[in-house]
C-alpha cells in the first residue's frame, strides 16, 4: 500500500468540467465592452527594404481607432538572450520573411479592420532572398542580418575527450547525413491575444503561454512599463509543446494598440498566420559519425547539425543544443564532438518543439541499429550496452542522480515481445526501438524557481497560489493533488489560483519541463509549512507531540490514536482568533549551474534531474503504397514518480501521437521559396484519434532524490523516442535505411524502389 | 523633521486617476456576455401572511430565464449573531414590511423582467401592522416575530456602580426625553450586485461592501457552498457609512438566480429600493437622566433608549449599544445604568450608521449645556471637567491607552474663538460644542484580524495583498503608503491587490473602523518582514551589520554611509537566483476581549483603541424661517497619528457634512404607515457642497501605543460630535432646548413659537 493518499492516484482533473461544458474561456473567446479587432499587416516579400509606409488612408477610414508602425514603438528588440536580440515587434527598415510584421491597426469590427489593412501602402525594395541554410552560408549569399556573416546565427561547439583516438580505437565507424523538414506544432487553439490597457496605466493581457511570467518581462521591456503594471492573466490554453514560451509580436501589438486606442483590443490569428507567423520547429540536417568497440559500445561520436532558423533568433541557442543534450544524457559517449549551427534564412521563425531534432535523434538510433546488425547485436541489447545509468556524469558535466532507462528498455521489450518478434516477423512487418532523455528544467536564471502560498479559509478549505501554467497537460490538477496530500483535505476543498503575474509569484511556468519539479515542489513545501502551523496549534489542543501528528480527512490527529484529533477548520479558526492566521509558503529552485552557457563551452549541471524513455513500435508497411500501419506501440518512461498515473500515461500517449505517428509519418512543412504551401489542416497532416495504434504505457519510477516525491519530467522522452522507434521499425520492415524524415509514403516507396534498382 | 518619508505626508490617492477618468467600474457598471437582468418582487403590505405565489405566467413569458421563490431556496435564515437569525432571503410565510422580498426573476432585459414581475400573482392575508415602537410593545400589539413577545428584538441592560447613590449625591439632576427620526445613508452609489455562477461551481460576485469577507461567509452559508467557491471580487464602492456591512437579500438573490439560470445576473436597485430595501439608520427615543456635583462633574446617569428596528434584526445588537459605548468612552461616568431596547415594527430594516443615535448623543451633550448654564459653568469647561483621559477604564471595562480629548476640546475652542464668542454673540447667533468617541475595531471574533502579503517583482516593484476594502475613504492609499514607507520604494512601485475573498486573506475590511488599525498594521508587519529578508541578503553584499541597514529610494544602504548601498531590484534578483524569493507576511488582530458580549452584561476590553473628537459650530438662525446658516465649524479629533493628513481632514469634513449639516439640519425619513414618503433625493435632503460652511480641521496625535505608527480611527468621532455641536449651537442661538431632531426649519420655528407663547 502506498504511503500516500492522494498523490499516486489517478485523480480526476480539476478542469474537466469547465472544458466539457465549454465554460472554459480561451483567449479568442474573450469579449470586453468597446473591444476592438486588431489586425497585422505582413510582408509579402521574403526579403525587402521598407522604403515608405503610408497609413493615411487607413487612418481616415471610419471605425479605425489606431494604426501603428515600427517607428511609433519604443523599438526595443527582442531576444531570449542578450546576444540574440534581433527581432523588432514591428519592422522599421527591413522585412526578412513572408509574414514579417510591418504595420497593425485596431478597428471596431473585423470587416473594417481588413478593409483598413488593404488601405495601407508599403513601398518595398525587394532584396535577394535565401531559403536554404547551405545557400545562406555561401560567401555570396545576401546577409539577412548585416552583423551575422555567413548568416550564421548561432554556433555551439562542444568537445569532450579525444574523439580522434576514440574513432581510432573503434572496430566499426559509420557515418551518415540525416535530414528532416520543419514540423509544426498545430495546437488545437489558434493564437489569440486580448489586451486591455486602462487609464491608470495597467495592462491586462490574455494569451496562450507556457508561463505568464515569461511573457510579462519582455512585454514590460518592449512597452517600457514597470512589471507590476503588466498583468498577464490566467486563461485556458489549448496546447503549447514548446511553442508558447516567448513573447510574440501579437502580444506586443495588441497591447500597444490598446494603449493607443485606449480600448481593449483582440487579435486572433488566421490559420495561415498560425502556421507562418508563430514560430514552429526547425528543419535540421545532421552529419553523424559513430565509432564502437566489438561489444557495440560507442567509443566516439562526431556530430554536426545545421538548423534552418528562419528570419530571427527566437529560442535558437536552446534549440541548437537540446537534441545533442538529450542524446548525451541517454547514451554514454566517452569522446564526443558536436558542432551545432543555426542559420538565418528568409523563412518564418523556428523555435523549440516537443520533438527536438527528429533527424538528429533518429540518426543516432539508426546508426546503433546498423552497427548492431553489422556486429550481430540485437537492437535492444545495443541500447542496453550504451544506456546511461544513475551516478554517471554526462560529457558536459551533468551528474545523473536517478535513471531508470535500462528498466524502461527491458520492460518495453518484454511487453512488446521483442525476443519473439525481432527477426521473426512476417514480410513487410517491422519492429523498432527508440531511446531518449529529457531535462527536467534547465538554467533560466532568476526565472527558474517557483514559489507557492497556501491560505486557509475559516471553513477549513484552502486556496493555493502558484505561478505554474497549465497548457493542457494537467499541471493545475498536479498542484492541487500535492496540496491535498500534504494538507490532509480533499482536492475539492482546495481552490487554485495560478498563472497570473500579478497575484502569483515569479515562476517559469511549464517552460523547460520543470513545472512538477519546481512548481510542484514549491507547493509541497508551502503546504507542509501550512500543515506545520496547524500542527503547532494542535499540539496544545491535543496535548500531543508534534512528531506524532498527522493530517488526513480534514482532521489533525495523533498517529495510532485516530480518535484523538481535531477538525482542521477548528484549528484554522483558532489561528484566526489568535491573530496568527495559517499561511504557508514554500519556494524551490532546481540546483543547477546557472552560470552554464548555452553557446560557448557549455559545462556544468544542466538540470537537476533527467527523464529517460524507451519506445518500441511494431509496424506493417505496404510496399506498394508506402503506407505505414502501426500495429502496436509500447512506451516506457522513467518519470521518477507518477503523481497522477493516468495523466502521465496520457502524456506518453500524446507523445507517441506527436512524435511517432505525426512526427515520423506525416508532418512536414512544404515550401515554395519563402512561402509555406501547407499552412492548414487539410494539407499539413496531424494524426487523428482513429489513426492511432494501441499503445501500452509503462511507468518506471526511479524516485529522483531531488524531485517532489521523486517526480521528474513526464512524457517528452516518449515524444522524442517515438519518432526513433517508428523510424527503426519502418527500416526493419523495409530493409531500407531511410535518412530523410518524415517517412511519408512517397519516401518509403522511393526507398524501396532504389533498393530494388540496386538489387537489379 | 518627521522620522518618516511617506507616511505622515498627504500623498495623492492611488485611485484618483481611475475615478476622474470614469475608468473605475462600480457594481452597476459591470457587463458580461449573456448577462441577465434580475428583479425582485416586493411585498406591498407592511404585514401579511403569504397564502400562495403563482409564478406560472411569469415563467412562461419569453425571455424569462429563472423565477425563484422562498421555497426554492435552502431557506437558511440570516442574522449577524446566532440569536438574531430572523431574516430569510426570500420570504416563505409572512411579509413584515412594505418592500419585503417575495419572489425574484432573471430575464434577458429590463423590460421583460419588469413585465414578468407584474405577472407574478401573490395571495396575501393582510395582518394588523404596527409602525411605532411604543405601540409595538403594547400587550395587544400584533407580533411581528412570534417568538419575540412585546416585539422586543434586543434588550441590552448595563449597570455599573450605584446609580441611585450617585443621583442622591448630586446637586443637580436633569431628566429629558430626546427623539430623532430615521436617517438614511444615501450613498452616491445605488445598490447593485452582479453574480456569475459557473458550471464548475464557482460563484463570483461583485457588490458594494465594507469588507468582502463579511459577505462571503453568510453567502456561502445561505447558498450551501464551500467558502473557497464564493469569490467576492474587488469593485469600486461609492460609500458605505455602516450600510454595506452585511450580506443582503439582493446578494443572495442575484447569486441564486445565476445558479438557476446558469448565466450572469445583475440586479440594480431603483432609488426607492435603495431607500427602503437596504437597511438604514434607526429612529431613536432616549430618556436620559444626569446628576452632577457642584463642579459640574457627572456623578450618575441613567439612560433608556428605544430603537425602531423595523422588520428584522440586522446589526441591531450593535446598533443598540454603540451610542452608549461612544458616550461611556468620551465622558467619565462613575455610576451608570443603561437599558437599550430595539423594537420590531412593520417598517424597513434599520442598521448601523456612521452617526449612531443622534437623539442619544445630542441629549447627553444638551444636558451638559443645561447643567452648565444652571451652575454657571461654560460648556467647554463642562466638557473638560468630564472628559476622558488616557489610562482610565470605561464603565464596561475598556482600558483607554491613548486619549487626546482635552487637547481636541482646547484647540477647537481656541480656533473658533470660544471665549470671545460664547455669550457675546449678536442676536440669533449661537455657538455650540459636541464631544464624542469611537471604537477602533470591536469584537468580530475570527474576522477581527488582518493579514497581508508582500511579494517583489524582479524589477524591484512589489505587489501588496490585503483583504481591506476601500469604500471611498482612501484605505487603498493608506495601505500602499505604509508599504512604501517600510519597503523604501515609491508608492508607484507598489501594486495593490485587495478586497477579493479568493486572493486575499480573511479581513474585517473597513468594518468597525478597524482598517487602519488592523489592516494597516498587518501591511506594516508584512512589509517589514519583506524588508528584513532584503536586509539579510544585503548584509552579505554590503558586509554590514543588519542593524545599520536602511531602505529608501529603491536602495538598501548603510546608515551614515549612503554610498554603501545596493539597489533593491538587485537584492530581489539575488533572492530569486538563490531560490528563496522575498515574500513578506504580517498579521495583526486587535488585542480585545473576544468573549465580550453585546447583549448580556457586556464587560471587557471592547476595542484596543478609541478615537476622541470635539466639534464646535458657529451658526446663525433666522427666527422667521427657522433656517440655520452655519458660519464656521471647527473639527478636532485625536486620530492617534495621521498617516495621510489630507485624507484624515477629508474624513473630518465629510463627518461635519454627514453628522452636522445633514444629520442635524435636514435628514429624516418621513412615513405614512409603513410607507416611506421621501425615498429620493428631491425629498430626502442630503447636504450639497454649496451648503457647507468653512471647516477648520485640527488633527490631534496621541500616538496610540498599539496602532500602526500610533494611528487609530479617523473621522467618525467628528461625524457624531458634529450633530451635537450643531444642536448645541442652535439651542444657544435660539435659547430653546430642542429635543426632537433633526432641527428642521419647521421644528425650529415651532420651538421659537412655543417659547414666545410661554413668555407671553
Amino acid at each position: 500500500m502506498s504511503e500516500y493518499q492522494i498523490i499516486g492516484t489517478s485523480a480526476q482533473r480539476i478542469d474537466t468540467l469547465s472544458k466539457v461544458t465549454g465554460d472554459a474561456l480561451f483567449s479568442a473567446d474573450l469579449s470586453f465592452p468597446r473591444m476592438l479587432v486588431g489586425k497585422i499587416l505582413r510582408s509579402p516579400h521574403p526579403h525587402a527594404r521598407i522604403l515608405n509606409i503610408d497609413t493615411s488612408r487607413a487612418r481616415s477610414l471610419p471605425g479605425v481607432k489606431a494604426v501603428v508602425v515600427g517607428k511609433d514603438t519604443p523599438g526595443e528588440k527582442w531576444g531570449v538572450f542578450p546576444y540574440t536580440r534581433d527581432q523588432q515587434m514591428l519592422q522599421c527598415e527591413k522585412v526578412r520573411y513572408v509574414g514579417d510584421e510591418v504595420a497593425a491597426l485596431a478597428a471596431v469590427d473585423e470587416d473594417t479592420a481588413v478593409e483598413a489593412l488593404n488601405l495601407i501602402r508599403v513601398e518595398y525594395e525587394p532584396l535577394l532572398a535565401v531559403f536554404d541554410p547551405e545557400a545562406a552560408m555561401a560567401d555570396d549569399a545576401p546577409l539577412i542580418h548585416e552583423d551575422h556573416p555567413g548568416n550564421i546565427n548561432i554556433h555551439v561547439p562542444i568537445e569532450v575527450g579525444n574523439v580522434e583516438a576514440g574513432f581510432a580505437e573503434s572496430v566499426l565507424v559509420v557515418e551518415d547525413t540525416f535530414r528532416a523538414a520543419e514540423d509544426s506544432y498545430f495546437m488545437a487553439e489558434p493564437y489569440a491575444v486580448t489586451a486591455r490597457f486602462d487609464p491608470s496605466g495597467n495592462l491586462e493581457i490574455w494569451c496562450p503561454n507556457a508561463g505568464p511570467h515569461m511573457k510579462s518581462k519582455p512585454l514590460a521591456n518592449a512597452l517600457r512599463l514597470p512589471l507590476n503594471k503588466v498583468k498577464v492573466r490566467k486563461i485556458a490554453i489549448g496546447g503549447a509543446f514548446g511553442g508558447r514560451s516567448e513573447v510574440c509580436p501579437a502580444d506586443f501589438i495588441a497591447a500597444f494598440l490598446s494603449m493607443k486606442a485606449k480600448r481593449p483590443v483582440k487579435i486572433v490569428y488566421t490559420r495561415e498566420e498560425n502556421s507562418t507567423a508563430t514560430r514552429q520547429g526547425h528543419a535540421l540536417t545532421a552529419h553523424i559519425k559513430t565509432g564502437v568497440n566489438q561489444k557495440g559500445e560507442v567509443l566516439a561520436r562526431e556530430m554536426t547539425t545545421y538548423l534552418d532558423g528562419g528570419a530571427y533568433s527566437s529560442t535558437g541557442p536552446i534549440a541548437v543544443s537540446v537534441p545533442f543534450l538529450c542524446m548525451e544524457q541517454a547514451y554514454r559517449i566517452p569522446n564526443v564532438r558536436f558542432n551545432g549551427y543555426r542559420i538565418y534564412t528568409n523563412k518564418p521563425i523556428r523555435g523549440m518543439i516537443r520533438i527536438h531534432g527528429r533527424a538528429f535523434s533518429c540518426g543516432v538510433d539508426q546508426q546503433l541499429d546498423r552497427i548492431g546488425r553489422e556486429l550481430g547485436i540485437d537492437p535492444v541489447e545495443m541500447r542496453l550496452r550504451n544506456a546511461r545509468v544513475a551516478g554517471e556524469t554526462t560529457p558536459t558535466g551533468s551528474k545523473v542522480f536517478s535513471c531508470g532507462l535500462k528498466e524502461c528498455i527491458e520492460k518495453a521489450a518484454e511487453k512488446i515481445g521483442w525476443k519473439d518478434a525481432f527477426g521473426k516477423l512476417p514480410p513487410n512487418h517491422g519492429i523498432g526501438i527508440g531511446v531518449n532523455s529529457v531535462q527536467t528544467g534547465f538554467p533560466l536564471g532568476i526565472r527558474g524557481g517557483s514559489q507557492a502560498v497556501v491560505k486557509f479559509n475559516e471553513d477549513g478549505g484552502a486556496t493555493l497560489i502558484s505561478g505554474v501554467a497549465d497548457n493542457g497537460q494537467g499541471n493545475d490538477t498536479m498542484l492541487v493533488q500535492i496540496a491535498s496530500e500534504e494538507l490532509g483535505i480533499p482536492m475539492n476543498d482546495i481552490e487554485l489560483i495560478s498563472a497570473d503575474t500579478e497575484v502569483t509569484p515569479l515562476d517559469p511556468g511549464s517552460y523547460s519541463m520543470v513545472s512538477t519539479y519546481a512548481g510542484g515542489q514549491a507547493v509541497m513545501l508551502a503546504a507542509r509549512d501550512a500543515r506545520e502551523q496547524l500542527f503547532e496549534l494542535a499540539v496544545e489542543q491535543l496535548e500531543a507531540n508534534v512528531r506524532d501528528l498527522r493530517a488526513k480527512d480534514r482532521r489533525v490527529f495523533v498517529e495510532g490514536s485516530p480518535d484523538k484529533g481535531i477538525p482542521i477548520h477548528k484549528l484554522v479558526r483558532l489561528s484566526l482568533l489568535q491573530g496568527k492566521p495559517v499561511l504557508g509558503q514554500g519556494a524551490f529552485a532546481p540546483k543547477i549551474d546557472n552560470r552554464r552557457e548555452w553557446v560557448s563551452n557549455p559545462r556544468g549541471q544542466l538540470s537537476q534531474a533527467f527523464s529517460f524513455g524507451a519506445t518500441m513500435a511494431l509496424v506493417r508497411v505496404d510496399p506498394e503504397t508506402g503506407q505505414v500501419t502501426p500495429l502496436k506501440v509500447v512506451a516506457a518512461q522513467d518519470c521518477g514518480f507518477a503523481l497522477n498515473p493516468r495523466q502521465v500515461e496520457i502524456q506518453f500517449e500524446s507523445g507517441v501521437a506527436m512524435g511517432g505517428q505525426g512526427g515520423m509519418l506525416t508532418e512536414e512543412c512544404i515550401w515554395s521559396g519563402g512561402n509555406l504551401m501547407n499552412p492548414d489542416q487539410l494539407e499539413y497532416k496531424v494524426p487523428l484519434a482513429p489513426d492511432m495504434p494501441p499503445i501500452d504505457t509503462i511507468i518506471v519510477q526511479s524516485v529522483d532524490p531531488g524531485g517532489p516525491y521523486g517526480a521528474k519530467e513526464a512524457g517528452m522522452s516518449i515524444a522524442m523516442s517515438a519518432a526513433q522507434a517508428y523510424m527503426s521499425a519502418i527500416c526493419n520492415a523495409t530493409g531500407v535505411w531511410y535518412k530523410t524524415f518524415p517517412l511519408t509514403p512517397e519516401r518509403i516507396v522511393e526507398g524501396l524502389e532504389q533498393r530494388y534498382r540496386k538489387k537489379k
Side-chain angles (χ1 to χ4, degrees), chain A:
Chain A
M1 211 187 91
S2 162
E3 59 181 307
Y4 304 117
Q5 308 293 323
I6 314 292
I7 59 162
T9 71
S10 293
Q12 189 191 297
R13 288 174 62 133
I14 62 170
D15 55 348
T16 302
L17 206 57
S18 69
K19 296 276 171 69
V20 299
T21 57
D23 181 52
L25 292 182
F26 293 80
S27 298
D29 298 327
L30 289 178
S31 178
F32 291 103
R34 304 180 73 243
M35 190 172 76
L36 302 173
V37 173
K39 285 275 170 196
I40 299 170
L41 184 72
R42 300 182 176 282
S43 165
H45 300 286
H47 199 189
R49 203 168 305 285
I50 300 170
L51 300 179
N52 187 43
I53 308 177
D54 178 4
T55 59
S56 56
R57 289 178 63 207
R59 275 177 212 277
S60 59
L61 185 72
V64 173
K65 300 299 178 188
V67 183
V68 294
V69 297
K71 67 178 170 49
D72 301 327
T73 71
E76 208 90 37
K77 281 188 180 178
W78 155 248
V80 176
F81 297 92
Y83 53 88
T84 62
R85 292 198 181 133
D86 59 5
Q87 186 181 9
Q88 272 185 302
M89 295 295 175
L90 277 168
Q91 304 316 318
C92 290
E93 289 158 19
K94 274 213 329 189
V95 289
R96 294 180 176 88
Y97 75 93
V98 175
D100 217 348
E101 290 80 7
V102 174
L105 54 82
V108 291
D109 56 34
E110 176 111 14
D111 287 349
T112 309
V114 170
E115 190 184 339
L117 222 50
N118 289 328
L119 295 176
I120 299 177
R121 290 284 163 267
V122 187
E123 270 181 74
Y124 293 103
E125 176 195 333
L127 301 170
L128 265 181
V130 63
F131 307 114
D132 174 76
E134 224 162 304
M137 283 187 288
D139 285 346
D140 58 350
L143 287 186
I144 298 169
H145 295 267
E146 279 68 19
D147 52 351
H148 282 76
N151 287 312
I152 296 171
N153 171 215
I154 304 284
H155 173 209
V156 181
I158 295 172
E159 183 152 0
V160 180
N162 187 331
V163 180
E164 311 313 334
F167 285 127
E169 259 183 73
S170 298
V171 299
L172 181 64
V173 174
V174 293
E175 190 170 358
D176 305 273
T177 297
F178 300 92
R179 287 189 170 78
E182 290 92 346
D183 39 3
S184 187
Y185 304 96
F186 254 84
M187 296 87 166
E189 179 193 14
Y191 200 84
V193 50
T194 301
R196 186 165 65 167
F197 188 80
D198 72 31
S200 302
N202 298 291
L203 170 68
E204 287 188 288
I205 189 161
W206 295 258
C207 56
N209 64 79
H213 292 276
M214 306 304 266
K215 292 266 192 184
S216 60
K217 187 66 172 77
L219 263 178
N221 288 350
L223 295 161
R224 304 229 167 122
L225 291 173
L227 253 180
N228 60 20
K229 290 289 179 191
V230 178
K231 301 168 182 185
V232 182
R233 297 299 191 198
K234 176 158 188 163
I235 188 80
I237 296 166
F241 316 121
R244 304 298 199 212
S245 305
E246 285 172 90
V247 70
C248 89
D251 306 336
F252 170 83
I253 289 169
F256 195 65
L257 285 171
S258 178
M259 288 169 85
K260 290 283 164 192
K262 297 183 173 61
R263 289 168 65 164
V265 172
K266 179 161 80 175
I267 294 175
V268 182
Y269 273 11
T270 62
R271 183 66 256 166
E272 286 67 27
E273 283 177 304
N274 273 296
S275 294
T276 58
T278 67
R279 60 182 170 74
Q280 306 285 345
H282 288 84
L284 184 145
T285 300
H287 304 291
I288 307 176
K289 181 178 170 185
T290 302
V292 296
N293 64 16
Q294 193 62 45
K295 291 192 275 180
E297 293 164 348
V298 174
L299 298 182
R301 189 171 278 145
E302 183 173 6
M303 295 146 286
T304 306
T305 61
Y306 296 94
L307 278 71
D308 181 347
Y312 300 104
S313 284
S314 178
T315 46
I318 308 175
V320 173
S321 303
V322 167
F324 166 78
L325 295 169
C326 293
M327 274 297 149
E328 74 152 12
Q329 291 153 205
Y331 291 132
R332 260 175 279 123
I333 330 173
N335 305 293
V336 63
R337 182 184 299 135
F338 172 73
N339 279 285
Y341 295 91
R342 187 176 187 271
I343 309 302
Y344 285 128
T345 62
N346 291 116
K347 283 158 75 185
I349 310 156
R350 321 315 293 180
M352 289 187 294
I353 192 167
R354 198 175 176 211
I355 35 166
H356 287 271
R358 295 180 280 189
F360 183 89
S361 53
C362 286
V364 167
D365 257 1
Q366 188 180 109
Q367 288 190 339
L368 290 184
D369 280 353
R370 273 177 59 197
I371 289 164
R373 173 176 284 196
E374 299 279 332
L375 299 179
I377 304 168
D378 173 277
V380 167
E381 186 56 31
M382 276 299 290
R383 268 68 175 190
L384 286 171
R385 289 184 188 178
N386 286 287
R388 178 70 63 208
V389 295
E392 293 178 346
T393 297
T394 68
T396 63
S398 287
K399 179 90 184 277
V400 174
F401 297 99
S402 67
C403 177
L405 180 52
K406 286 195 173 180
E407 197 180 336
C408 289
I409 297 170
E410 284 161 353
K411 287 193 164 168
E414 199 189 323
K415 188 86 190 173
I416 204 163
W418 185 276
K419 273 187 191 156
D420 297 330
F422 185 71
K424 301 163 192 164
L425 291 169
N428 302 320
H429 283 63
I431 189 165
I433 173 173
V435 162
N436 223 318
S437 164
V438 167
Q439 308 83 44
T440 298
F442 47 60
L444 295 169
I446 60 168
R447 283 172 218 119
S450 187
Q451 189 176 25
V453 174
V454 170
K455 81 179 172 79
F456 269 98
N457 297 318
E458 57 181 285
D459 65 357
T463 302
L464 171 62
I465 300 178
S466 156
V468 173
D470 189 329
N471 310 120
Q473 73 278 76
N475 281 338
D476 284 356
T477 305
M478 176 268 294
L479 300 175
V480 171
Q481 222 171 333
I482 289 175
S484 170
E485 178 72 41
E486 296 295 335
L487 296 173
I489 59 177
M491 289 175 66
N492 269 341
D493 285 11
I494 299 168
E495 198 63 20
L496 174 70
I497 300 178
S498 65
D500 175 302
T501 59
E502 186 182 22
V503 179
T504 70
L506 189 61
D507 197 281
S510 66
Y511 201 90
S512 91
M513 298 68 74
V514 79
S515 36
T516 301
Y517 206 82
Q521 191 134 224
V523 166
M524 180 186 87
L525 296 171
R528 281 186 187 166
D529 182 29
R531 191 183 60 197
E532 291 309 309
Q533 294 171 40
L534 292 176
F535 283 1
E536 268 172 51
L537 291 157
V539 159
E540 266 178 59
Q541 301 293 311
L542 301 176
E543 293 174 351
N545 192 310
V546 72
R547 284 188 312 262
D548 300 330
L549 293 179
R550 298 291 174 270
K552 202 177 128 181
D553 299 336
R554 299 190 175 112
R555 286 172 80 248
V556 169
F557 60 95
V558 179
E559 188 164 42
S561 316
D563 289 347
K564 204 174 161 188
I566 184 167
I568 284 175
H569 80 268
K570 286 207 175 158
L571 293 171
V572 173
R573 294 172 68 93
L574 197 62
S575 82
L576 291 165
L577 213 49
Q578 294 179 356
K580 290 174 189 162
V582 175
L583 188 100
Q585 56 172 294
F588 180 82
K591 282 151 207 73
I592 53 186
D593 191 345
N594 271 306
R595 291 157 311 173
R596 188 184 158 118
E597 295 285 346
W598 281 101
V599 169
S600 56
N601 194 29
R603 288 291 187 285
Q605 192 74 30
L606 170 66
S607 177
Q608 200 182 337
F610 304 94
S611 79
F612 298 89
T615 303
M616 301 194 184
L618 187 66
V619 304
R620 185 179 61 233
V621 179
D622 183 328
E624 303 292 325
T625 62
Q627 197 70 44
V628 176
T629 307
L631 301 172
K632 187 180 187 62
V633 174
V634 176
Q637 196 204 294
D638 165 23
C639 64
F641 174 80
L643 292 165
N644 185 319
R646 184 69 198 117
Q647 294 307 314
V648 166
E649 287 167 349
I650 289 173
Q651 286 298 304
F652 291 4
E653 291 166 4
S654 74
V656 172
M658 188 164 191
Q661 191 73 22
M664 190 42 59
L665 300 188
T666 57
E667 296 190 41
E668 66 176 323
C669 295
I670 298 166
W671 303 89
S672 170
N675 292 288
L676 180 65
M677 302 312 286
N678 59 341
D680 62 29
Q681 291 99 324
L682 280 177
E683 286 135 356
Y684 185 95
K685 294 194 170 61
V686 174
L688 304 176
D691 299 325
M692 294 301 296
I695 302 170
D696 277 336
T697 54
I698 298 167
I699 296 173
V700 169
Q701 303 194 123
S702 61
V703 188
D704 186 79
Y709 317 99
K712 45 193 186 179
E713 186 276 328
M716 196 162 133
S717 302
I718 299 299
M720 296 181 73
S721 59
Q724 299 151 242
Y726 270 66
M727 175 282 302
S728 173
I730 292 166
C731 294
N732 182 245
T734 55
V736 179
W737 298 112
Y738 290 101
K739 291 174 189 173
T740 300
F741 313 117
L743 295 176
T744 56
E746 296 76 14
R747 286 204 184 97
I748 287 174
V749 168
E750 194 191 321
L752 286 167
E753 281 174 356
Q754 277 177 9
R755 196 185 57 166
Y756 180 73
R757 279 196 293 272
K758 258 190 212 161
K759 273 190 183 166
K760 274 209 299 194

